[in-house]
Structures are given as structure tokens and as C-alpha cells.
Amino acid sequence: MKKFFLPILALTAFTMKENTLFAKAKYIKTVHAKENSLQIPYEEYRLDNGLTVLIHEDKSTPIVHVDVTYHVGSAREELHKSGFAHFFEHMMFQGSDNVKDEEHFKIITEAGGTLNGTTNRDRTNYFETVPANQLEKMLWLESDRMGFFLDAVTQEKFEIQRATVKNERGQRYDNRPYGLVMEESARNLYPYGHPYSWLTIGYIEDLNRVELEDLKKFFLRWYGPNNATLTIGGDLDKEQTLEWVEKYFGSIPKGPEVKPMNLPLPKLNENRYVTMHDNYANLPMLRMVFPVDKMYGPDVPALDALADILGNGVNSILYKNLVKTGEAVSASVYNYTAELAGELWVTVLPYPGKSLADMERLVMESFKEIEENGIRDEDLLRFKGEFESSLIFGMESLSRRVSTLASYQTFAKDAAYMEKDLEGYLNLNKEQVMQAYNKYIKNKPAVILSVTTKGNEDNVAAAPNYEVDTTKDHSVHHDFSNLVYKKGKDNFDRSVMPKAGKPVVVTAPKVWKDTQADNVKIIGTYSDKIPVVNLYFTIPGGRLKDPKGKEGLSYLFSAMMGETTQNYSSEAFNDQLKQLGSSISINSGMSSTTVFVRCLEKNLDATLKLLEERLLRPKFTQEDFDRNQKRLLESLANNKNEPSNVASKAFAYLMYGTDNTFGSPTSGTENSIKNITLKDVESYYKNNFSINGTNIVVVGQITKDQLGNKLDFIHNLPKHKVELPEFDGKMHAKAKVYFIDIPGAAQTEFRMGYLNNVKYDALGDFYKSTIVNFPLGGAFNSRLNLHLREEKGWTYGARSFFAGNKFTGSFQFSAGIKKDATAEALKDIFHILEEYKKSGMTKEELIFTRNSMTLSEARKYEVGMQKAGFLNGMLEYDLDADYTSKQNDILSEIKLKEVQELAKNIVPENNELIVLLVGDKESLWDSLIEAGFDMEEISLEELEK
């Protein structure tokens, strides 16, 4: 396979004189970008306290990305103390000696940046992307919580974040279909006490019993600089950056020694059949888990290829044998690798009436095809083509490059390990894939989990034959004795936050435009960061053209456009596409059908040939239609009990009504999908898939001249004008509190809204409404989120927003709230909205909003997708290229009194809001009535009739 040269500025090694300037920043090595290589260039240093520092220079965009990765995840936890690492991720955002409570998010947001942290089994990382002139401030922030954190930890903060983590577990795991599948499979795969036998989120009972001192010890044991990698990338001066790193991190004392963990892979003597019941799922699930090679193990590339061949997409064996035959709604295989072990997951959702025992049998029979037929050349070519392109696509993002370096350094102890890692994939052969199959899958036992549903508790692959042996503790015990909190001594005043450097110069992409026959408008911009071309088509139509009673037709049509064509089966088409490493996706929007194409520049012509086939020569067959309709119906049925899905659907009905397209789900309802026929799909293509009025965006390594007439084939599409209906702007339901009962729901889903009919405009009232909302519910530090999440610990996140398009506008609020706090939270939300409407934002909030929204401009045009979105907005709303500059002028000139008056006019009165609560009626109804709310119970089924 041909590799390519990554056109990123290679770093030059310091001279000896320059190296000696930083006595404590020991120079390790320089890694250059090489020709015909994907290697990311960087320089490596090490401080005396053990902190590894990686610097990656990229001048293409005026931003920097900072990542601090600590080599600690849930694998460093002990039995009955699960969730510590993730809990600490939350705590590390709660301030430090020199950063006030809730200031971390505020400082970075106000600097025009974005930030987050993540925890997995093996590491925790904290990261931020900011304008380049904010780098020193970021290093000050990260160093303060690394070395000056514990004294700022209070019992109150601890309790609030404990509640927040529990709410996150409820929202992401306990309150959704199949949310606990991985927890159950891990518990039965690994020995009792093994740190992979629980999820990173931890068990509720462990979160309840943990004490503040336990968490402090965890920090002292694992969060030292010698167990961390600081990776900095972007538009930076490397010498100045090293000075700052030494200044802010150099004094932090070294932590306790951290030794590598190395546990044996789990061994199974026979298939372990286990069962769990899921209250939220409508379809049962079969999950088979085979223990396999761990991260960066020699067999991982072969296992990734094997998973792709067995169960990734329409070319896979399981798709052919289970999905296309009508046995299963979906069937997939995924190779999940971690530092201590790997897991190969087989996941099957069967159709109603199909047994999990039959699913297991079909999976095992499908595996035998590998034994009988071996690995085909085209299968391996498809895997390699898609793998190569995904890597190249990922290198466009600065944050992706930085996190890649950090990951290799943390787990392979060499940030340059990418080259060796890639060799394993690019040189992979069929024999290696077969060897992996024989070693890990053929006749090997697995954990076989049956997920049962209401009324089908007996549908299991086999009777349970395994229980976790809790008499034997396989915990890895760590030494938490003699831990002393030591702070470094600085020769500067750390309490003074560094100022930003000189303002960065941000320029919107230079664009070219063209208007062609059939009212086709094309806009493009050249970018050579990576050798990729992105094409984005917006074709008038979409959901607004769905006939009454056949809502979801445009969604089903889009699915059918990905199937058989006149000259290709769907399998053959996708085989060609993936060998090229290209993608073509067709989706239905509210007022358009969108087509997105992404490919390597060298494969553009071949990809456009396939696009021509896809757009001009679809072959709508009854077989493809029946399969897609059947799968969609089961997908809709399976989401009936998921609280967040129910809330979003029902809220749209209440806001807009069932007779309005805006009130209908994108994918339709079970009743409307049943009404759709193959002829409806054919008619939609003829009448609502027209070239007339189409917008095309071109972003990537191609100029207007190079594009030439390559897209002329699209003018062979139908040419009639697609007329879109108007919206009357009336809110459907009365303003009151509606309730949908989902018995046993762990949380309450909140949806609140009001139609104000302020349509999108870039420079008028709608834009100003986004300014008004920012401190109310648009930022992490907004009033709503700070109160509900950071002060009360009732939610994982809450937000409000003004939504607008060409047809209508609205104000909305959404959150998943702790069940027991439902009534009190609703009262508080009403109070916050009432106060904000009355008084508006403060002077400090206006400064915060102005800085954040203005400075974030530096992050808007980094990657192709961002540029495509920017250009598409210009075409759709007929905007000039400098409209963002004009927005910034409005923001800088707007007065406090004006935004306060705007709040009075556009924030709705409480009695104007539709409120929908989706949760457990038995435990909530009485408290809501007692709180004085005007309640009405409804159901999603009644709304959909």
C-alpha cells in the first residue's frame, strides 16, 4: 500500500547551547516527519520530577492543544473502591490553590477555548484547545491542579461531585437500553476483584461508601508528574513553551514510584452463559465476548481485520448471514483492546420471535466460513484501504495528533511508536488473520450474555451455568501508606494568572464560488493540510416533503439510496468504496437531503465514478425495501422505553403537533413507516431528488480549476423545482407540565420550550438571542448548569438554547435530572428563568460572553468538516464571507442595557412554557402535585395516533 507524506512542519533539534538553557528540561530526542510516513513530528523532554514533555509544532491554524495524560484509570482501583479514577476526573475541575471554585471552565471558555477530561480503564486525560496566545495560561492551569490541588478539596465539593457522578451513571448506563451490557459481561469475564471486572464509572454502592480521605490518597498515589505526560501541540514557539513548562511544572515534587501492571489474560474453561434483564430494551441482545490479545500486542492488527471481516458493514459475514436473511436487526463484531487485556465482542439484535439460541448457532456457523474459505484478498484490501484513510483523516485534527502522541508515550513508552504500529497493519497478510482466528476464536470459550426483555424472560442462548466466585479475591493491592502531600516552592507568584499574549490573527477560509445551470451553486476552499477532498451536497426536499401519514419516507429513501444500484450490488459497491478508503453517506434533513463524500485526493476520480452510480442509477428493489423497512420498524420499537428518546419525540409533538413535519420524528413512527411502499420511495426520487437549487461545498486539496467538470454528471438528475411548505408558527399544546410514565426510570428527563418564531439570521435578532442565552444556559458556567450540576449535583449537564432555521424559531431547555430532585429542580429552573428575564445578564457575564464568543473564532476553521459547515451556511443563508467579523463587531459593541432588554423580550414567561417530564410516576407524581404544578399525564403512543 502506498503511504503518503504528512505535510506538517518538522521540528528541528535544538543546538547544544539551546539545550543547556533549560537544565531541568532534559532533551531526549527529536522525531521528524518522514517522506512516505504518517509519523507525527515532535520533540521530547523530561523534567527532573519525571514529567515527560512532548512538543508538536504546527503553524497552520492559530490554536494550541494541551493534553495532560495520567497513567491511571480504573485498573489502579481496588475491590469495593471502584469509580475512583473517574470520580477524580470530576474533582480535578473543582479548583485548586490559585484557581477558584468553578473557575477552570470559566477561564478556558472565556479565553475562547474548549476543554474536557476523560477516563478509561488505563488512563485519565485532561485537555483544552485554545487560541495560540492563551498557551501560558493553560500551562498555569494544568500545573496548578497537578501540584497545588488537595488543599482546595472540600467535603462540600466532594459530595456535589459524588452526586454528579451518580447522575452520570444513571444517564449513561442505568437509564438506557443495553446500558449495563458491558458491566455485566466484564463482571463475568474477569476474575473477582480484577480491575477490569467493573466499569470506569464504578458501582453505586462503592460511590456511596467512598470517603474524602480515600480520594485524597488516590490522588497522592497516582497523580504525580512522574506518572504523567504533558503534550503540547499547535502554533507555538518551542523555546518559550519549554520555559513556561519548566516554570510552572518544574517545582512540583515527584510522586511515588509507579510500576507497570501486567496481569494474565482471563482464561475460560468453557462457555460462560449468563443472563441479565433489561427494563428499557424491546429487543433481546446476544453479546459474546472472547478474551484476546491486549493493546499493542502482536495479534491486534490481525484481530482488527478479523473483526472487520466478520462483522463490520454490508460486506461482513454476519451481515450476509444474519441481517440480510432477516434473522437479525443488526450483527456486529468489534475488537476492543486495553492495556491489560483485549476483548472481541460479537453483538446481535434479533428480530422478534427469533431466539438467542438460534443467534448463537448462526454466529458459530458463520465463523466456520472463515475456516472453510479462508481470508479473501478483497477482504484484506478493503480493511487496509479503510484503515489507511481513517488514519489520514484523523491527522487533520490537532487534538487528534496530540492525543495520539500522548497515548503512544503512555502505553508504548515511545511517542514515535506509530510507525512500528502501522507496519503491523500495512504488512498484514491473510495467514496472520487466520492464525489469530485459530488462536483466539476457533473452538474457544466465551462469555455469552443473554439480555432479556419484558415478557420474554425465557429467551436465552442457554441456561445460566456460571456465577462469579466471590470467595477468591484477585485484587491488585496498592500501597497507600506513607503518602505525604508536598507542594513545590516557586520563585514567582503563582496566584497571578498569566495574561494572554498578542491577539491571534484569524482569517476565514478564502473561498471561490460558481453558479451553474439548474440553479446549482458551488462554493469551495483549498486546504492542503492532508491530501483529502470533502464534498457536501444539499439537495432541496428532506422531511418537509414527507406526505401526511407517511412521515419518515425521506429517512427510508436515504437508506435505500445506500443499497443496490443498476451495476452494483450493495456489497460490491461498498467493497469498491472501502478499498479506496472513501465514504459516501446520504441523509435526510428537515428541508434537504444531504450527500457527504470524503476521499483521499488520489482517489477522487474513482470515488466520483461511484458517486455518479449511486446518485443517478439507484435500483430500488423490493428485497432491499422490505429489509430496510423491517429494520427501521424494529429500531423504532426498540427505542420506545428509552427515556431520552421518548422525551425528545413527545416534546416535538407537543411543540409542533402531529400534523406538522417539525413535530414528526426524522425516522417516522411505526404506523407511518408501515404505510410506506416501494413505489413511494421511487416517487420520492423522481419528484424530490432534484438538481434544481442544489448547493455544493468543496473543501480540500483541490482548486476550482482542478475540479473542472468533474461534477457535471449531477446535471443528469431530475431538474424540476422542489417547493417546500410554509410553517404556521403556532405552538400546538397548552403551556403546562406534561408527564410520561416510565416505571422504574432512574432519572427524569426534562424538556421545556416555547415557540418564538425568530428565524435564523446571522446578524439580527436570532444572533443576538445566542448572546442572551450564553450565560443563561449556553456555557458550562451558565446559571442553569452551575446551579443544577455544580451547586446541587442533580444532573450530569443542563442547557438552554435558542434554535432557529428558515421556517421557525424556539427557546428550549433539556436535562436529565436526579429522580428525587424532580419537583425541586423544576421550581429552581422556573426561578432562574424568571430572574434572568427580569434582570438579564450582569456586567461580568457580558464580559465573559463577549470574550468567549469572540476568541473562539480561532477554533472555527481548523478541519475540513468545520470549513464545509461554514461554507454551507454561507450558501444556505446567502451570507458574505466576512459575516463572522460582523458578528464580532455586534458582540463588541452591544451594550449591557440592550442585552438586558432583549432578555425581557425573548426569554419566555414561565406560564408560556411547555414542560415535559419523563420518569417514574409512582415516585414523582404526588410531589409534583404538592409543589403546585398543573399536571397532565400523556403517553407517546397517544401522541403518535
Side-chain angles (χ1 to χ4, degrees):
M1 181 183 304
K2 182 180 179 181
K3 302 179 185 178
F4 83 106
F5 172 65
L6 186 65
I8 300 173
L9 179 64
L11 300 179
T12 303
F14 282 0
T15 66
M16 184 60 68
K17 181 179 180 181
E18 288 172 322
N19 285 333
T20 58
L21 289 175
F22 308 102
K24 292 184 180 180
K26 182 182 178 181
Y27 171 79
I28 305 298
K29 65 181 177 182
T30 297
V31 173
H32 296 283
K34 301 176 183 177
E35 190 173 359
N36 297 325
S37 172
L38 280 169
Q39 183 61 60
I40 304 169
Y42 69 94
E43 286 186 352
E44 179 180 350
Y45 295 84
R46 188 121 337 111
L47 301 189
D48 287 350
N49 57 17
L51 179 67
T52 297
V53 182
L54 307 175
I55 299 178
H56 163 62
E57 191 174 4
D58 174 14
K59 299 289 188 180
S60 64
T61 307
I63 59 174
V64 290
H65 185 82
V66 178
D67 178 290
V68 180
T69 296
Y70 295 90
H71 197 170
V72 54
S74 56
R76 297 290 186 177
E77 298 165 354
E78 297 181 353
L79 186 65
H80 304 312
K81 294 183 178 181
S82 65
F84 273 32
H86 175 257
F87 197 159
F88 225 96
E89 177 206 316
H90 282 250
M91 292 300 298
M92 290 275 273
F93 287 101
Q94 299 310 304
S96 48
D97 278 4
N98 303 291
V99 182
K100 297 177 183 178
D101 299 357
E102 320 306 342
E103 283 288 299
H104 204 100
F105 274 93
K106 184 177 186 296
I107 289 170
I108 295 177
T109 305
E110 191 169 13
T114 182
L115 70 157
N116 212 332
T118 66
T119 308
N120 64 24
R121 286 172 164 176
D122 307 305
R123 64 99 184 102
T124 304
N125 68 341
Y126 302 88
F127 49 90
E128 44 271 334
T129 304
V130 294
N133 64 333
Q134 303 286 343
L135 176 56
E136 183 182 6
K137 193 181 298 181
M138 299 306 106
L139 297 176
W140 171 76
L141 278 170
E142 288 292 355
S143 66
D144 210 61
R145 64 176 168 188
M146 178 185 285
F148 303 85
F149 173 72
L150 280 189
D151 286 346
V153 176
T154 65
Q155 188 69 38
E156 181 183 8
K157 291 181 185 179
F158 173 81
E159 294 300 341
I160 289 173
Q161 291 310 308
R162 188 209 306 261
T164 301
V165 171
K166 289 163 68 175
N167 283 317
E168 180 180 355
R169 180 184 166 97
Q171 185 171 325
R172 290 190 169 184
Y173 299 91
D174 298 331
N175 211 39
R176 58 186 299 185
Y178 316 115
L180 297 176
V181 167
M182 187 175 175
E183 180 174 87
E184 191 68 17
S185 62
R187 189 175 70 85
N188 288 281
L189 176 64
Y190 296 98
Y192 182 67
H194 189 291
Y196 280 5
S197 65
W198 54 78
L199 295 186
T200 303
I201 193 73
Y203 291 115
I204 287 290
E205 53 268 30
D206 291 350
L207 293 170
N208 286 335
R209 71 165 63 96
V210 63
E211 296 180 357
L212 181 58
E213 286 306 310
D214 295 323
L215 220 61
K216 286 186 176 182
K217 289 180 181 179
F218 195 80
F219 174 81
L220 291 173
R221 182 67 185 85
W222 304 116
Y223 286 80
N226 51 303
N227 196 36
T229 297
L230 168 63
T231 310
I232 309 161
D235 186 5
L236 52 83
D237 179 303
K238 54 183 178 289
E239 295 183 31
Q240 178 63 79
T241 300
L242 271 177
E243 286 185 15
W244 288 333
V245 169
E246 177 58 40
K247 175 180 179 180
Y248 294 113
F249 290 89
S251 68
I252 300 173
K254 187 175 184 178
E257 182 183 5
V258 177
K259 295 181 179 179
M261 294 182 69
N262 188 17
L263 299 179
L265 297 180
K267 292 184 178 180
L268 283 60
N269 297 321
E270 61 178 356
N271 283 336
R272 295 178 180 176
Y273 288 95
V274 292
T275 300
M276 66 166 277
H277 183 74
D278 195 320
N279 284 324
Y280 300 110
N282 270 29
L283 289 175
M285 173 190 281
L286 178 73
R287 167 64 65 85
M288 304 171 68
V289 183
F290 295 84
V292 295
D293 202 3
K294 62 185 178 181
M295 181 187 294
Y296 302 143
D299 296 324
V300 168
L303 286 164
D304 284 346
L306 179 64
D308 184 78
I309 293 165
L310 286 172
N312 180 20
V314 300
N315 297 95
S316 68
I317 293 174
L318 289 189
Y319 183 90
K320 173 176 67 74
N321 292 345
L322 278 77
V323 178
K324 196 154 189 179
T325 58
E327 297 289 334
V329 176
S330 64
S332 62
V333 182
Y334 178 70
N335 184 42
Y336 171 81
T337 60
E339 188 174 22
L340 303 179
E343 304 167 17
L344 189 132
W345 303 339
V346 180
T347 308
V348 181
L349 290 179
Y351 279 109
K354 304 292 183 179
S355 73
L356 294 183
D358 283 343
M359 295 304 104
E360 182 194 358
R361 175 182 55 79
L362 290 170
V363 168
M364 299 312 295
E365 289 175 357
S366 297
F367 283 178
K368 290 181 179 178
E369 287 190 24
I370 293 282
E371 301 171 31
E372 296 169 358
N373 303 327
I375 305 299
R376 301 181 304 167
D377 290 328
E378 55 265 38
D379 290 334
L380 201 54
L381 282 172
R382 184 177 64 247
F383 169 73
K384 288 186 177 182
E386 194 168 27
F387 180 81
E388 180 194 28
S389 63
S390 67
L391 284 173
I392 296 172
F393 296 155
M395 290 302 101
E396 185 178 22
S397 164
L398 175 63
S399 62
R400 176 74 173 270
R401 278 178 264 133
V402 167
S403 64
T404 298
L405 289 172
S407 180
Y408 280 126
Q409 181 64 37
T410 301
F411 298 117
K413 302 305 177 188
D414 181 7
Y417 188 76
M418 171 181 270
E419 195 162 27
K420 183 177 180 181
D421 193 22
L422 291 180
E423 286 179 5
Y425 288 90
L426 300 178
N427 298 327
L428 188 66
N429 58 51
K430 295 185 294 184
E431 290 72 24
Q432 290 171 304
V433 180
M434 280 303 303
Q435 287 169 7
Y437 171 79
N438 291 327
K439 182 177 180 180
Y440 296 103
I441 308 300
K442 182 180 179 181
N443 300 324
K444 298 298 187 295
V447 171
I448 302 177
L449 173 64
S450 299
V451 181
T452 64
T453 58
K454 293 178 183 178
N456 292 285
E457 288 80 4
D458 296 331
N459 186 4
V460 296
N465 69 345
Y466 177 78
E467 289 188 5
V468 177
D469 183 359
T470 59
T471 64
K472 298 178 181 179
D473 183 355
H474 295 266
S475 295
V476 179
H477 296 286
H478 304 287
D479 184 8
F480 288 91
S481 62
N482 302 316
L483 296 174
V484 180
Y485 182 35
K486 297 179 181 179
K487 295 183 184 180
K489 294 182 179 180
D490 296 309
N491 58 5
F492 66 97
D493 186 355
R494 188 178 282 270
S495 67
V496 178
M497 182 173 65
K499 295 181 179 179
K502 293 181 180 180
V504 299
V505 178
V506 182
T507 57
K510 294 181 179 180
V511 303
W512 54 264
K513 294 182 179 181
D514 187 24
T515 300
Q516 298 186 351
D518 305 317
N519 194 27
V520 172
K521 296 178 180 179
I522 305 180
I523 189 170
T525 187
Y526 181 83
S527 174
D528 61 357
K529 185 179 289 188
I530 57 174
V532 169
V533 175
N534 304 279
L535 301 172
Y536 189 75
F537 299 74
T538 304
I539 301 171
R543 289 166 52 198
L544 288 176
K545 298 302 294 183
D546 287 352
K548 174 63 179 172
K550 296 186 179 183
E551 292 82 6
L553 171 59
S554 60
Y555 183 89
L556 194 52
F557 162 76
S558 297
M560 288 290 289
M561 286 293 290
E563 293 287 352
T564 308
T565 70
Q566 296 293 334
N567 297 305
Y568 291 91
S569 66
S570 59
E571 294 85 356
F573 188 95
N574 280 277
D575 184 68
Q576 291 290 310
L577 199 63
K578 289 188 174 184
Q579 284 191 39
L580 294 170
S582 304
S583 63
I584 298 174
S585 59
I586 301 177
N587 296 287
S588 172
M590 176 58 69
S591 60
S592 63
T593 301
T594 60
V595 181
F596 181 66
V597 182
R598 194 174 204 190
C599 65
L600 301 180
E601 185 275 332
K602 65 182 181 181
N603 294 332
L604 175 61
D605 289 344
T607 303
L608 290 180
K609 288 289 185 183
L610 291 172
L611 179 65
E612 179 179 356
E613 177 74 15
R614 173 67 78 212
L615 297 183
L616 299 184
R617 291 182 283 277
K619 185 178 181 181
F620 301 121
T621 70
Q622 191 67 48
E623 179 185 0
D624 288 341
F625 175 80
D626 291 343
R627 183 177 64 257
N628 278 280
Q629 184 185 47
K630 184 179 180 182
R631 290 178 68 191
L632 179 53
L633 285 169
E634 291 308 322
S635 176
L636 291 170
N638 200 35
N639 289 329
K640 273 186 173 180
N641 294 326
E642 183 178 6
S644 63
N645 180 67
V646 171
S648 296
K649 283 187 175 181
F651 182 69
Y653 285 134
L654 292 171
M655 285 276 283
Y656 301 103
T658 54
D659 291 333
N660 192 299
T661 304
F662 288 94
S664 301
T666 301
S667 53
T669 68
E670 290 178 80
N671 289 332
S672 66
I673 296 301
K674 288 176 183 177
N675 292 335
I676 298 172
T677 66
L678 178 61
K679 287 186 177 180
D680 292 321
V681 172
E682 294 171 339
S683 176
Y684 192 96
Y685 178 81
K686 294 174 183 176
N687 299 312
N688 299 308
F689 200 68
S690 168
I691 189 60
N692 194 312
T694 291
N695 292 337
I696 303 174
V697 175
V698 183
V699 176
Q701 195 171 333
I702 187 169
T703 65
K704 179 181 179 181
D705 290 341
Q706 289 170 333
L707 182 65
N709 61 357
K710 292 180 186 293
L711 298 180
D712 282 359
F713 64 87
I714 63 172
H715 292 279
N716 292 318
L717 282 169
K719 293 179 169 55
H720 48 264
K721 186 174 182 179
V722 177
E723 298 288 347
L724 299 178
E726 295 290 331
F727 173 56
D728 62 15
K730 296 178 181 179
M731 197 158 69
H732 174 70
K734 293 181 180 180
K736 63 188 306 184
V737 180
Y738 299 88
F739 194 97
I740 295 179
D741 181 27
I742 294 189
Q747 287 189 309
T748 304
E749 286 292 332
F750 277 56
R751 300 291 185 273
M752 303 170 66
Y754 168 79
L755 283 181
N756 60 12
N757 293 309
V758 177
K759 300 177 183 179
Y760 175 86
D761 64 75
L763 304 174
D765 289 345
F766 178 81
Y767 172 68
K768 291 178 181 179
S769 74
T770 65
I771 299 173
V772 170
N773 180 69
F774 196 78
L776 172 63
F780 182 91
N781 286 72
S782 67
R783 295 189 189 186
L784 287 164
N785 192 60
L786 281 185
H787 179 79
L788 296 170
R789 172 177 163 141
E790 299 301 305
E791 295 175 21
K792 294 293 188 177
W794 289 338
T795 183
Y796 181 55
R799 68 182 189 122
S800 65
F801 58 94
F802 287 93
N805 52 41
K806 289 182 177 180
F807 305 93
T808 185
S810 64
F811 171 82
Q812 298 184 37
F813 169 86
S814 65
I817 302 287
K818 180 182 177 181
K819 178 169 63 175
D820 296 341
T822 299
E824 189 175 355
L826 185 54
K827 287 191 291 185
D828 286 3
I829 293 166
F830 276 143
H831 176 72
I832 292 169
L833 292 176
E834 185 177 40
E835 284 297 307
Y836 194 76
K837 181 177 180 65
K838 178 182 178 181
S839 303
M841 69 175 71
T842 64
K843 180 180 179 181
E844 291 73 20
E845 286 175 327
L846 178 58
I847 293 171
F848 168 70
T849 300
R850 183 177 285 146
N851 289 340
S852 177
M853 293 181 67
T854 302
L855 296 175
S856 64
E857 186 84 3
R859 297 185 288 108
K860 289 182 178 179
Y861 316 114
E862 183 198 1
V863 299
M865 284 294 291
Q866 290 175 307
K867 293 174 181 175
F870 172 73
L871 267 59
N872 187 62
M874 287 177 58
L875 283 186
E876 184 175 4
Y877 292 99
D878 193 25
L879 302 173
D880 295 328
D882 65 346
Y883 81 89
T884 56
S885 296
K886 293 178 181 177
Q887 287 180 335
N888 289 335
D889 290 340
I890 293 172
L891 188 57
S892 65
E893 295 170 4
I894 200 166
K895 304 300 183 184
L896 181 61
K897 286 187 177 180
E898 183 178 354
V899 289
Q900 289 174 338
E901 284 299 316
L902 279 169
K904 291 179 181 179
N905 293 329
I906 64 177
V907 175
E909 299 280 358
N910 290 337
N911 60 9
E912 294 176 317
L913 286 166
I914 289 175
V915 179
L916 173 65
L917 307 176
V918 178
D920 181 30
K921 178 184 176 183
E922 183 178 356
S923 60
L924 296 176
W925 186 267
D926 291 344
S927 64
L928 288 162
I929 294 294
E930 290 173 6
F933 294 115
D934 180 14
M935 303 287 296
E936 180 179 337
E937 184 177 4
I938 58 175
S939 71
L940 182 60
E941 289 76 16
E942 291 175 352
L943 292 172
E944 289 186 339
K945 285 181 180 178

